[in-house]
Structures are given as C-alpha cells and as structure tokens.
Amino acid sequence: MPHHGAVQVYRGRTVEVSTCTKYFLFGFNTLFWLVGLALLVIGFWAWTEKGFFDNISEVSDIPFDPVVLIISIGIIMFTLSFTGCVGSLRENICLLKFFSTILGMIFFGELVCAILTFVYKDWFNQKFNDFMETTIIKYRDDPDLQNIIDFGQRKLQCCGGVQGAQDWESNIYFNCSSSIELNGIDYRPVESCGVPFSCCAHGDINYDEITNTQCGYGVRSKKEADWGEDIWTDGCIEKFEQFLRREVYLVAGLFIGVALLQIVPICFAQNMISDIETIKASWHR
C-alpha cells in the first residue's frame, strides 16, 4: 500500500493518487453509508417494534417480508459503502476492487432484470395482476397492506385492479352478498356492496373540514353509470400504465440517475486503482 499522498516519478512523469478522486469517493461512500445505516435502523425498528409489514408475506403471496428486503438493501449499502470509504481513504487496492466489482455486478444485474421485464412484459403484467387480486381479497387482513392499497388508490385516483371498482366484489367485506349472522339473524355489513374510502373521488382527508369517510358504502348497489359521481372508476393497473406513459421522461430520468450513481463511482474507483498500481510499479523500476 502506498504512503498517503505519496508522489512518485514514473517514466519521466510525476504520478500520484488524485486528491479529487480520493475524496470524491470518500464523500460519496460516506453519504451512502449513512443511508444504508438509516435503512438498517428503520428496518429493524419496523420489524421488531412496530410490526411493520409483519404479515404481508402471508396476505399477499409475496415470497419474502418487505422489511427483510429493506434490511438486506441496508446491509449491502452499509458494507459496500464502508469498503469504498476505507478503500479510498487508505488507498487500499483490494477494498477498491471489491467495491467496484460488487457495484458492477449489481448494475449488471439491474440491467438484466430491466431487459427481462421488457422482453417478458406480458408475464410480468400477469404476475402484477395476480398480486393485485390477492391484495384486494386480503385487504382487511393486514393494516399495513391496507395502507399501501389506500395510498396507491388515492395517488393514482383509481379503484381496484383490472376491472376497476367491481374488483372489490372479491373481498368478503365489500361483497354485495356478504352477511353476518348474529343471534340467528342475518345482518348486512355496512361496507357491503361498497369500496374503500380511498376509492372516493374526494378521498383525501381534509382536517379543516368534515370529511365523509363513508362515501364508498353501498356505492356499487347503484347503477354502474352513476358510480363516477362518488368514486374513481378506472382500475389501478390501467392508471399505473397511463402514469408510466405520461411520465416517461421522469421514469427514464430516474433510471439514468440510478445508473450514474453506480457507474460514476466505479469509474472513479478504477481510476484510483490505476494510479495506485502505477505508483507501485514505479517502486520496482
């Protein structure tokens, strides 16, 4: 390992590790080390204290707990950024190579996933449709899952999955034929033949005014042509596809931004590795 800030003369020219490259990598990785640490703290707090998404793997057929994904991303960011920080500060070739190699593999994996998503678009669409159907059926079984669906419906101004509001017929609480037997008498639940509050055309809670949170009750018992007076009628899958088409530049910008966040530090790390190897080579002239 070269002495920090060492300057060597190699083949008639002065060679040293670029201070700009060195401290750019250090600052970049320090920032993402803190982000990784924050994800770990949030993940463990959510998992152990608040039970955030505790049952989502059971109620929505996701093969893993999303909190595990958050923690996994945090561990990867924490470890990778730590090696980048130490490698750049100590000018350690092994750590810098580990950092750039793993980051390159992650970038390549993301690229492959993006290509597969485009090539097998119909398959992914079907899987997403199945996911939406399952989450609608299990809507009341997990409060966190319910919050996810409500957030999506409010932001996209949609209701249900593929068929729109009618998809809520598959949920036992909103089914038009659902009933509750009490003391031998069948009662119709108040939410029967309705939709969640987040489907309402004015579903955002206004704390300055009295908000009708029961606007979705029984709405599907009306004529379908009249549903639009109270609720959003477009399915969320269709609205999400419209959002992607409408915000294509935003989506492309996000992809490019994520790519640059990985490609730029790889280039800087490789440049620093090259400088260090050149300095080491000068020792054996």
Side-chain angles (χ1 to χ4, degrees), residues 6 48 61 66 83 119 131 144 190 232 250 283:
T48 60
D61 289 346
T83 58
V119 173
F131 168 77
D144 297 310
V190 67
W232 309 115
L250 174 63
W283 297 348

Side-chain angles (χ1 to χ4, degrees), residues 146-205:
Q146 179 177 320
N147 290 335
I148 293 174
I149 297 174
D150 287 339
F151 176 81
Q153 291 189 147
R154 283 197 302 268
K155 293 301 178 183
L156 293 174
Q157 297 184 348
C158 60
C159 189
V162 178
Q163 303 177 44
Q166 190 58 32
D167 286 335
W168 287 101
E169 181 68 16
S170 60
N171 183 280
I172 189 173
Y173 296 97
F174 299 106
N175 190 289
C176 290
S177 59
S178 62
S179 62
I180 299 174
E181 184 176 336
L182 185 63
N183 297 327
I185 303 175
D186 286 336
Y187 293 94
R188 183 178 176 181
V190 67
E191 292 180 319
S192 177
C193 226
V195 293
F197 166 70
S198 55
C199 279
C200 294
H202 303 287
D204 289 330
I205 297 177

